[in-house]
Amino acid sequence: MNEKAIVEALLERDPFVTRLFFHRNCRPLFVGLINRLAKGGVRWELDEVVDEVYMLLMEDDGRRLRTFQFESSLYQWIKVVALRHLLRKRGQVIELSLDDAPYIIEQDVLDESMAHAAVPSSAASDEEQRTAEARADVERLLARMPNQRYADVLRKLHIEGYSNEELAAQMRIRLPNLYNIKRRAMAQLQQLALAEAKA
């Protein structure tokens, strides 16, 4: 069943597809979100997350789900939407830090921005313009990073499509070292973006 058929079945509230999609297919995604949120100090149960995300997507006759444009994978889109909603729901205050909390949040925001920046849109010209603007914003922030090694790591992983393993091999470092570099790079990018937003 392709993603378009899944979305149509969800909007029609097909009970079999709904249960299969939210309770089985999305289970790894939701478990990953729960683990990420736990590192940021927020506790959720799996059933709570399923209920929250389902209600969010289906309220107002599926208004939010109908905004999905099939420009990224359905699962990636749900991950970003769900993470933002769950953080708002719990009213989590995100402190600036160089550890996990900023990385947890900004990684998903960056993934979404990079997806729009890296994948050309086949929609109308205004969508193409938004894609070009997203690419320009990402590149501008990366160019302004004080540590260009960090910028290069983010560019290769999120724009050029390197896997963690490929990049670690190219850099001749171990995977745990790459993860540490990536975490510090995300923290630096977050600080730069927040400073720019306040300016």
Side-chain angles (χ1 to χ4, degrees):
M1 193 174 211
N2 65 32
E3 291 190 340
K4 189 162 278 193
I6 290 171
V7 169
E8 288 172 2
L10 292 175
L11 289 170
E12 290 170 6
R13 299 181 188 269
D14 180 302
F16 176 77
V17 173
T18 298
R19 179 151 190 83
L20 181 68
F21 180 75
F22 283 101
H23 290 274
R24 182 175 162 190
N25 296 1
C26 286
R27 182 184 173 89
L29 182 154
F30 293 148
V31 169
L33 282 180
I34 289 167
N35 291 337
R36 286 184 174 202
L37 292 168
K39 289 179 188 175
V42 181
R43 291 280 176 200
W44 285 91
E45 296 296 326
L46 181 59
D47 288 341
E48 280 184 289
V49 170
V50 172
D51 290 345
E52 281 292 330
V53 174
Y54 177 76
M55 288 188 297
L56 175 71
L57 295 180
M58 301 308 294
E59 69 184 0
D60 297 331
D61 193 34
R63 177 183 56 80
R64 189 169 274 104
L65 183 56
R66 292 177 195 279
T67 67
F68 177 59
Q69 298 294 311
F70 303 95
E71 293 168 357
S72 63
S73 84
L74 178 60
Y75 296 95
Q76 178 66 25
W77 181 81
I78 286 176
K79 181 173 78 170
V80 173
V81 169
L83 180 63
R84 290 176 178 169
H85 174 71
L86 295 174
L87 287 170
R88 278 194 304 269
K89 185 82 174 177
R90 281 292 168 98
Q92 183 185 21
V93 177
I94 300 154
E95 298 292 336
L96 280 180
S97 130
L98 293 179
D99 293 324
D100 288 334
Y103 173 75
I104 290 163
I105 296 150
E106 294 302 320
Q107 178 67 47
D108 288 289
V109 174
L110 181 68
D111 284 347
E112 184 183 40
S113 297
M114 296 289 191
H116 287 298
V119 180
S121 172
S122 59
S125 60
D126 60 334
E127 184 61 34
E128 291 172 2
Q129 183 176 348
R130 283 196 297 273
T131 299
E133 287 170 2
R135 178 181 293 135
D137 286 344
V138 168
E139 286 293 352
R140 182 177 45 73
L141 283 172
L142 291 176
R144 290 190 56 216
M145 287 179 69
N147 187 325
Q148 278 300 299
R149 183 182 188 215
Y150 289 173
D152 192 47
V153 164
L154 295 178
R155 188 177 289 108
K156 285 184 175 176
L157 288 173
H158 297 285
I159 294 178
E160 297 176 20
Y162 281 68
S163 70
N164 290 320
E165 292 78 10
E166 289 169 336
L167 186 54
Q170 185 187 85
M171 295 174 71
R172 297 182 181 172
I173 59 175
R174 294 171 49 235
L175 266 176
N177 293 346
L178 177 61
Y179 295 143
N180 286 334
I181 292 169
K182 186 163 65 169
R183 188 185 71 241
R184 291 193 297 268
M186 290 301 305
Q188 188 176 100
L189 182 64
Q190 180 195 37
Q191 288 185 325
L192 184 63
L194 288 173
E196 186 175 283
K198 289 177 184 176

